[in-house]
Amino acid sequence: MRLRATAGLLASATLLVTAFAAPAGATPVPSTPNAGHQPSKHHFSPAAQSFVGADTVQKRVAKLEAAMASLPKESTAYNATKLWNAGITGAGSTVATLVSFGDDQVKQVLDTYSKNHGLPPANVEVIQPSGPVPACTDPGVDTATCQGWGGETDLDVTMMHAMAPNAKIIVAATPVAETQGFTGLPEMMHAVDYMTEHKLVDVISMSFGTTEENFPSFDSIKTLDPALDRASKAGITMVASSGDDGPTGGYLYGPGNYPYRVASWPASDPRVTTLGGTQLHLDANGTRTKADDLVNVADDGFAEGAGLSKAYARPNWQDGVKKITGSKMRSFPDISMEGVHGTSQSAPLFAGVLALAVQAKHGKLGQINPVLYTKLGPAGTKAGIVDVTEGDNSQDGVVGFTAAKGFDVASGWGTVDASVFVPALVKALK
């Protein structure tokens, strides 16, 4: 495993943040009266949170095994194994997970897990494009947050590897914890630019998000978009988790969530394909015992995110579902996959599916939302789209969105049968 860091970036951190600062005169958007405190921390799933205290490879493997023990075999559930049998394993593709801090021993963790479960060794590279990443025990670092990000990293790469075992995986680790508002996001967007400029990746997965209301203004969010624009123009496909707070989201200065519907960024960004969370119901042989439904775990305080942006207008490729959304704004998610450990599980799973498509297409996919909405979604099962019609994402006293037949705000187009979806996607992009 090779670690890379670009020189001099820490010294220019102030310039980096300034480059993504809110426009002059922007009207602040209210969040909570607890001003003056540190922004709320990243909302980790219980699985990622369980890695806190796991400070060795052996301990992290044990946490990963425990988290994965209750999960079905994703490659079987989504029929990816049919593609593997045809030689489509993700070979030649590169998918990245964009995270704060990361885990510099992620290859050892993933290789140990893979050996235990019959998967090939992983091709993993860790890069530090926005400056050297501190150790979790370094002065000034919140150790629990850092170790939680380590768990997020290990879970992300496991999902990718389980779906596309021969894809190369890049962990793009940044040195500042992503929280709420702008904190940590300039460094992440710099990492996107670095991967674009150096032509490192085909797909970028983002398992993080912050409530739109927590930016200085809705327009200020868009100062983060140039990096995503450049990545899209370079043919890179970006996926993001829809969030784990149902239809609401955390205050800028916590604790607590907004008492009304809000949206999360980058999930709300039209440049991104956003993943909602479903749960699989399988028997011991991997056969579905009932249809997938939406994740909503009241005991753990999370439900898959879904909603309507207040910052981004409805893109023209969503015009075909405007009567369903009833809004002039961007709705999300676009598609859904298993997210019983949060939609930070769903996004890297779908990134793995896209890695299979990159191999099948012999090249980058670019922005897939236009064909998803105009060709694949309307074709339904013929294009590998599996409808999700059960569940809602109401949470924390806020009424959410309900899954229904066909496209709906709660699940997007539903979920996928990778064995049909991948060739259909490749054909639609020609």
Side-chain angles (χ1 to χ4, degrees), residues 80-153:
T81 48
K82 290 184 178 179
L83 294 170
W84 297 0
N85 293 337
I88 304 299
T89 60
S93 67
T94 303
V95 58
T97 179
L98 178 58
V99 291
S100 296
F101 301 122
D103 175 6
D104 61 0
Q105 294 179 308
V106 63
K107 179 170 172 55
Q108 294 96 307
V109 173
L110 183 55
D111 279 349
T112 302
Y113 178 86
S114 298
K115 184 177 180 180
N116 294 343
H117 295 275
L119 290 168
N123 181 1
V124 180
E125 179 182 6
V126 178
I127 63 173
Q128 300 177 357
S130 296
V133 173
C136 290
T137 54
D138 280 357
V141 176
D142 185 307
T143 298
T145 296
C146 182
Q147 291 176 341
W149 276 106
E152 181 70 65
T153 303

Side-chain angles (χ1 to χ4, degrees), residues 12-378:
S12 61
T14 301
L15 292 176
L16 180 63
V17 173
T18 302
F20 289 101
T27 302
V29 181
S31 59
T32 182
N34 296 337
H37 298 157
Q38 292 295 314
S40 296
K41 297 177 181 178
H42 179 83
H43 183 177
F44 292 110
S45 69
Q49 191 69 32
S50 74
F51 282 73
V52 174
D55 54 3
T56 66
V57 170
Q58 292 75 19
K59 290 179 181 178
R60 289 199 286 277
V61 171
K63 294 297 184 182
L64 185 59
E65 292 280 6
M68 300 294 287
S70 62
L71 301 180
K73 192 171 183 179
E74 290 83 2
S75 57
T76 301
Y78 293 108
N79 284 329
T81 48
K82 290 184 178 179
L83 294 170
W84 297 0
N85 293 337
I88 304 299
T89 60
S93 67
T94 303
V95 58
T97 179
L98 178 58
V99 291
S100 296
F101 301 122
D103 175 6
D104 61 0
Q105 294 179 308
V106 63
K107 179 170 172 55
Q108 294 96 307
V109 173
L110 183 55
D111 279 349
T112 302
Y113 178 86
S114 298
K115 184 177 180 180
N116 294 343
H117 295 275
L119 290 168
N123 181 1
V124 180
E125 179 182 6
V126 178
I127 63 173
Q128 300 177 357
S130 296
V133 173
C136 290
T137 54
D138 280 357
V141 176
D142 185 307
T143 298
T145 296
C146 182
Q147 291 176 341
W149 276 106
E152 181 70 65
T153 303
D154 295 346
L155 290 163
D156 281 3
V157 298
T158 301
M159 293 296 98
M160 294 169 174
H161 192 54
M163 193 61 66
N166 291 123
K168 179 178 179 179
I169 300 172
I170 288 179
V171 175
T174 64
V176 178
E178 179 269 333
T179 56
Q180 290 288 334
F182 273 109
T183 304
L185 294 179
E187 290 80 4
M188 286 183 159
M189 293 303 99
H190 181 274
V192 170
D193 266 336
Y194 182 88
M195 289 186 282
T196 300
E197 291 165 7
H198 290 81
K199 300 179 180 180
L200 299 181
V201 298
D202 302 301
V203 182
I204 297 174
S205 179
M206 300 178 283
S207 293
F208 58 84
T210 185
T211 309
E212 287 182 341
E213 268 80 353
N214 291 344
F215 291 90
S217 71
F218 293 132
D219 281 344
S220 72
I221 303 172
K222 297 173 184 178
T223 62
L224 295 164
D225 285 340
L228 303 184
D229 277 332
R230 289 186 282 269
S232 286
K233 289 176 181 177
I236 298 170
T237 310
M238 290 164 290
V239 301
S241 54
S242 66
D244 298 335
D245 292 307
T248 181
Y251 285 128
L252 176 58
Y253 304 106
N257 289 338
Y258 287 87
Y260 50 83
R261 291 176 175 177
V262 298
S264 176
W265 189 93
S268 63
D269 201 300
R271 297 157 185 80
V272 172
T273 299
T274 302
L275 272 292
T278 55
Q279 52 187 344
L280 295 161
H281 304 278
L282 308 177
D283 63 20
N285 297 318
T287 303
R288 277 178 171 76
T289 57
K290 66 176 183 177
D292 302 7
D293 53 11
L294 296 180
V295 170
N296 194 330
V297 187
D299 291 343
D300 287 333
F302 77 85
E304 66 101 34
L308 298 163
S309 175
K310 295 172 186 169
Y312 295 95
R314 184 183 67 237
N316 57 13
W317 38 261
Q318 279 195 329
D319 285 349
V321 298
K322 63 183 180 182
K323 291 183 179 179
I324 297 171
T325 68
S327 174
K328 294 181 179 180
M329 308 305 287
R330 153 66 157 152
S331 80
F332 66 93
D334 303 301
I335 199 79
S336 298
M337 292 191 77
E338 183 183 42
V340 296
H341 286 329
T343 55
S344 56
Q345 176 188 11
S346 314
L349 270 176
F350 191 66
V353 172
L354 295 179
L356 300 175
V358 169
Q359 181 190 356
K361 187 176 181 289
H362 305 292
K364 288 179 169 56
L365 309 174
Q367 167 66 277
I368 70 166
N369 286 346
V371 297
L372 176 61
Y373 277 83
T374 61
K375 296 181 179 180
L376 305 181

